[in-house]
């Protein structure tokens, strides 16, 4: 939170260069700021707290969309604890939001070797599927979407893959995925 406050008093270019804060992104809510202050306090007490670094990365990725700061925290957490699934996820999410999909794919390969949960892998594959879809790289998006479903099927994941299949002109397959999504929604 202190970096956000310090950056806010600077011209936009300086805030980006010095603090890695993009002032065009939404400001965090009071709740987010309180959580950031709590996490900052935890990290003052123990700068090697990988869990707190990953949690702060999540907050920074979420509401204020401060992806560079989130990436820095996620990478710091991974330096301390290589197998922390949440830090891997936040790193990949931040990279995709920064349109650094190649680095995100490399981070995913590291995550796969770290032996994290299938649920975390499913989320990471999903992040990359959406990022590649937004970059109009439909075949890559399809591969990630399929991996996401294989790791942990969900209605949302089938819907994402259906969107990709539609863009590829595979309407029959897209309809199959939409039916699977509908079926999964009924079960929940």
């Amino acid at each position: 939170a202190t970096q956000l406050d310090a950056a806010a008093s600077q011209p936009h270019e300086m805030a980006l260069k010095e603090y890695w804060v993009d002032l065009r992104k939404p400001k965090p809510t009071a709740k987010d700021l309180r959580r950031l202050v709590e996490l900052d306090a935890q990290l003052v007490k123990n700068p090697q707290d990988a869990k707190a670094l990953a949690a702060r990365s999540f907050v920074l990725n979420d509401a204020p969309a401060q992806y560079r700061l989130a990436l820095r925290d996620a990478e710091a957490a991974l330096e301390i604890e290589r197998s922390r699934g949440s830090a891997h996820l936040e790193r990949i999410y931040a990279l995709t939001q920064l349109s650094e999909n190649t680095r995100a794919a490399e981070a995913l390969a590291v995550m796969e070797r770290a032996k994290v949960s299938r649920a975390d892998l499913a989320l990471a594959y999903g992040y990359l599927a959406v990022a590649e879809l937004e970059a109009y790289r439909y075949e890559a998006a399809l591969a990630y979407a399929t991996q996401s479903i294989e790791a942990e099927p969900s209605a949302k994941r089938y819907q994402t893959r259906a969107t990709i299949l539609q863009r590829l002109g595979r309407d029959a397959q897209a309809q199959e995925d939409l039916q699977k999504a509908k079926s999964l929604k009924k079960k929940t």
Side-chain angles (χ1 to χ4, degrees):
T2 54
Q3 258 189 317
L4 287 169
D5 292 335
S9 66
Q10 303 295 321
H12 185 251
E13 295 300 319
M14 185 178 288
L16 271 174
K17 185 177 179 185
E18 189 171 339
Y19 297 101
W20 291 4
V21 174
D22 187 345
L23 297 174
R24 295 172 298 198
K25 301 291 183 188
K27 286 193 83 163
T29 65
K31 179 182 174 186
D32 293 329
L33 286 174
R34 279 192 301 277
R35 183 68 178 134
L36 287 169
V37 168
E38 289 170 8
L39 291 165
D40 284 350
Q42 272 182 264
L43 289 164
V44 166
K45 290 179 189 173
N46 181 6
Q48 299 297 304
D49 187 343
K51 184 177 180 180
L53 283 164
R56 188 169 70 179
S57 179
F58 172 81
V59 175
L60 290 167
N61 264 334
D62 189 35
Q66 298 299 332
Y67 305 121
R68 292 249 178 248
L69 292 172
L71 177 60
R72 186 192 62 191
D73 279 358
E75 289 177 339
L78 290 170
E79 288 292 320
I80 298 163
E81 189 180 330
R82 279 275 175 226
S83 62
R84 180 156 294 281
S86 59
H88 284 285
L89 276 174
E90 296 309 323
R91 178 179 185 211
I92 291 167
Y93 184 77
L95 287 166
T96 61
Q97 296 307 299
L98 293 165
S99 299
E100 295 186 29
N101 295 359
T102 301
R103 281 187 62 203
E106 293 165 358
L108 176 61
V110 171
M111 183 181 187
E112 290 170 326
R113 290 190 300 272
K115 308 258 191 268
V116 300
S117 73
R118 292 185 64 74
D120 284 348
L121 279 172
L123 286 169
Y125 292 132
Y127 293 157
L128 276 157
V130 170
E132 293 295 350
L133 173 63
E134 290 173 352
Y136 306 105
R137 290 188 288 267
Y138 301 131
E139 292 295 337
L142 180 60
Y144 287 124
T146 299
Q147 288 176 296
S148 182
I149 290 168
E150 289 171 355
E152 189 178 69
S154 75
K156 181 178 180 183
R157 292 185 181 113
Y158 276 109
Q159 288 171 324
T160 298
R161 190 168 74 177
T163 300
I164 297 163
L165 288 165
Q166 286 173 329
R167 300 270 172 89
L168 287 167
R170 300 182 193 172
D171 294 333
Q173 290 174 300
Q175 287 304 313
E176 288 175 23
D177 274 3
L178 289 173
Q179 287 301 319
K180 290 175 186 174
K182 192 175 185 179
S183 174
L184 284 171
K185 279 184 180 179
K186 286 180 182 177
K187 290 179 183 180
T188 57

